[in-house]
Amino acid sequence: GTAWSRVVFGDIAPSGRLPIMFPASEADTIRPSVFTDAVPYKEGLFTSYRNPSFRAAYPFGHGLTYTSFSYGEPQVILGQGCRGRKCFSVNI
């Protein structure tokens, strides 16, 4: 498929992304009620990363690439080593 070629040519980087938001402080969380064990979600859709008043230590979708790449000079492959019309090799 095209997944490896997209990585090799730098179109994308292999990485992981957070599926949640980690709050910067306790103030950036939804607090449970002091009267019951229930947690009232009065925020509606403005919970977690959607709430503009919450600060995130690590926001939703935050991620880092797992590695870095360096590329060698491309080499043209001639003769028996090439089964296509044009072939080349590159060290990664």
Side-chain angles (χ1 to χ4, degrees):
T2 62
W4 278 110
S5 65
R6 292 176 65 201
V7 170
V8 167
F9 289 107
D11 297 332
I12 60 167
S15 60
R17 304 284 179 209
L18 288 177
I20 60 173
M21 183 267 291
F22 285 95
S25 70
E26 188 177 347
D28 300 312
T29 61
I30 299 169
R31 298 195 177 142
S33 172
V34 294
F35 302 110
T36 67
D37 290 335
V39 179
Y41 286 98
K42 297 180 278 182
E43 295 83 3
L45 292 176
F46 293 107
T47 61
S48 185
Y49 68 94
R50 293 182 182 130
N51 192 326
S53 65
F54 284 172
R55 284 187 21 249
Y58 297 97
F60 175 85
H62 175 79
L64 301 172
T65 186
Y66 290 116
T67 189
S68 60
F69 294 99
S70 63
Y71 301 101
E73 287 292 318
Q75 307 266 329
V76 175
I77 299 172
L78 302 171
Q80 297 290 342
C82 180
R83 295 185 181 155
R85 285 194 273 168
K86 295 181 182 179
C87 298
F88 71 97
S89 169
V90 103
N91 289 327
I92 300 173

